[in-house]
Amino acid sequence: MHQITILSIALALGGAACNGLAPVAENAVKPRVVTQQTKHDTDDPAIWINRADTLKSLVIGTDKDSDGALYAFGLDGKIVGQSEPLKRPNNVDIAYNLPLSGQLTDIAVATERETKKIRIFRLPGLEPIDNGGISVFEGEAQADPMGVALYTRPHDSAIFVIVGRKEGPTDGYLWQYRLADDGKGQVKAELVRKFGKYSGKKEIEAIAVDNQLGYVYYSDETVGVKKYFADPDKRDDTELGFFGREGFASDHEGISIYPTGDSMGYVIVSNQQANTFMVFRREGKNVFVGEVPVSTIESDGSDITPVTFGGQFPGGLFVAMSNGRVFHYYAWQDLLERLK
C-alpha cells in the first residue's frame, strides 16, 4: 500500500478509539486502497464499470451534508469528479443503458433527503438529467428518502428505482418507481408499487437488488434482512425471506451481492457496530456462512463487483464506507480467505 494509505488507516483507527466507537480487530482485513477524504461525511458507494476500459471505472460515493454531493473516485482512490451541490445525499446506486434521447445512458441515482427527492445523473460525468430532482413519497408525512437501489428487469431492460425512507409505516415502507425518458432528454419516474414490511424498531436504509435472480433485499435495522421479489409485474409482495436475525451487534447496514454463477454466490451485510461483515449464501434460504473483521469503522454502505480491474483486486472489488470521510477498497479474495 502507498504511504498515504497506511497513514489514513492509522488516523482512522486512532479516531475510533478516541470517539469510543467499536475498535477494529487486530486481525481485520486491510484495504488495498483508502480514498481521499470528502468534505463532510461519506455514507454509501456504488461501482460503475467502464465497459470500454475497465481501468477507467469509477466508484461513486455520497458525501452526506446540507452542502453535500456525489463524488467520483478512480481505482486509485483519488477524487476525479463531483456533482453539483446536493442537500444531504444519503445513498446511491447505478444502472446501465437507460434509453435517453435515443442513446443508452448509464445513470447514478441518489436520494436527496432534505428536498424529499431522488437525483439522477449521467455517468461518467455526473451531469444532472432529472429537471432538478424527482419528488418521492408524495402525500406522505414520512417522506425523507434514505436508501435507494436500482433494478434492471432482464426480459425487457426496464429500469426501476426502489426507495426507502427515514421513517415509515409497518407495511408499504418502500416505494418503487419506473424510470423513463420524459420526451425531452430528462428522466421521469412513475410510481408502480408500495411494498415491504417494517418492524418499527429503527429505520430501513440499506437496499440491494439481485437483478439476475430478481430479488430485493433490505436491512430492517436491529432486526434482520428481508427479501422480496423485485419485479412489480409479479404482483406478489410476499416476504420471501427474513435472515440475519442473530449475531449482529446492533444495526444491519449496507448490503452487497457477489455472484459466483447463475444462482450461487454471497450476500454481504455490514454489522456496523462490530466493524465486521456478515456473509450469507446467495442461493436458497440465505444461510449464514461466516463473519469477516474489516478495517472500516461503523460502515454504512457497500458495493461489490467480481471484476478484478487487471488483477488489482483479486477476486473482485469490494468497496465500503468508513468513518473518517473515506471509502475503503478491498480485494474480495482477502475477505474470502477469512471464510475458509
Side-chain angles (χ1 to χ4, degrees):
M1 289 185 290
H2 298 298
Q3 184 175 1
I4 187 171
T5 302
I6 296 172
L7 177 60
S8 298
I9 296 172
L11 290 173
L13 298 184
C18 293
N19 292 326
L21 302 175
V24 171
E26 290 185 5
N27 67 336
V29 179
K30 302 298 188 293
R32 299 286 179 112
V33 172
V34 175
T35 66
Q36 287 183 294
Q37 292 180 325
T38 62
K39 185 177 180 180
H40 300 290
D41 179 21
T42 52
D43 194 272
D44 187 49
I47 302 167
W48 175 70
I49 308 297
N50 185 325
R51 282 92 76 210
D53 184 353
T54 61
L55 297 183
K56 294 181 180 179
S57 298
L58 300 172
V59 172
I60 307 297
T62 57
D63 188 34
K64 186 175 64 176
D65 193 87
S66 296
D67 182 29
L70 290 183
Y71 281 77
F73 302 88
L75 295 176
D76 59 0
K78 294 181 180 178
I79 296 170
V80 297
Q82 184 176 334
S83 74
E84 65 184 27
L86 299 174
K87 296 289 187 180
R88 198 174 178 86
N90 224 96
N91 285 33
V92 63
D93 201 11
I94 284 169
Y96 300 86
N97 296 334
L98 176 71
L100 206 62
S101 293
Q103 296 183 335
L104 297 178
T105 304
D106 296 349
I107 58 172
V109 179
T111 49
E112 190 175 35
R113 193 157 137 198
E114 291 181 4
T115 65
K116 299 177 173 54
K117 295 179 179 180
I118 54 171
R119 298 301 314 275
I120 303 175
F121 298 87
R122 187 193 312 271
L123 292 171
L126 289 175
E127 302 95 355
I129 49 173
D130 58 4
N131 288 311
I134 299 170
S135 296
V136 290
F137 304 115
E138 289 187 297
E140 296 281 292
Q142 302 160 318
D144 294 355
M146 292 183 68
V148 67
L150 293 173
Y151 167 53
T152 301
R153 189 162 55 195
H155 77 264
D156 62 359
S157 299
I159 296 177
F160 302 86
V161 56
I162 299 169
V163 190
R165 41 185 154 164
K166 180 66 176 174
E167 299 175 293
T170 56
D171 201 2
Y173 193 104
L174 303 177
W175 287 20
Q176 185 169 4
Y177 301 80
R178 181 168 180 167
L179 301 181
D181 192 330
D182 70 354
K184 300 178 181 179
Q186 299 285 296
V187 181
K188 65 178 181 179
E190 176 191 1
L191 178 64
V192 295
R193 181 189 186 198
K194 303 174 184 179
F195 73 101
K197 295 187 183 300
Y198 166 55
S199 67
K201 296 287 183 68
K202 195 171 182 184
E203 63 195 30
I204 294 171
E205 180 178 7
I207 312 169
V209 173
D210 188 327
N211 284 313
Q212 192 172 18
L213 297 185
Y215 298 130
V216 55
Y217 299 89
Y218 63 86
S219 289
D220 192 338
E221 291 187 23
T222 74
V223 177
V225 179
K226 298 184 177 182
K227 176 181 179 180
Y228 287 77
F229 286 120
D231 186 353
D233 285 356
K234 281 186 172 291
R235 302 188 184 280
D236 184 349
D237 292 338
T238 304
E239 186 176 280
L240 304 175
F242 186 15
F243 60 95
R245 301 166 73 175
E246 298 179 350
F248 283 77
S250 181
D251 293 355
H252 304 65
E253 284 286 356
I255 305 173
S256 301
I257 298 164
Y258 182 89
T260 59
D262 288 343
S263 62
M264 308 287 282
Y266 302 97
V267 177
I268 307 153
V269 183
S270 175
N271 186 0
Q272 187 178 39
Q273 283 74 29
N275 297 330
T276 66
F277 281 86
M278 309 292 268
V279 182
F280 303 85
R281 293 289 180 194
R282 180 182 176 220
E283 63 274 12
K285 296 184 178 180
N286 306 110
V287 173
F288 179 65
V289 178
E291 183 176 10
V292 181
V294 291
S295 297
T296 56
I297 299 167
E298 298 225 332
S299 183
D300 270 301
S302 63
D303 197 12
I304 194 167
T305 175
V307 179
T308 67
F309 303 103
Q312 293 182 57
F313 301 96
L317 170 62
F318 178 65
V319 180
M321 165 269 171
S322 179
N323 278 6
R325 297 180 286 145
V326 296
F327 296 98
H328 288 191
Y329 296 3
Y330 295 89
W332 171 241
Q333 179 177 292
D334 294 344
L335 277 74
L336 188 61
E337 287 174 353
R338 295 298 175 89
L339 292 176
K340 295 178 180 179

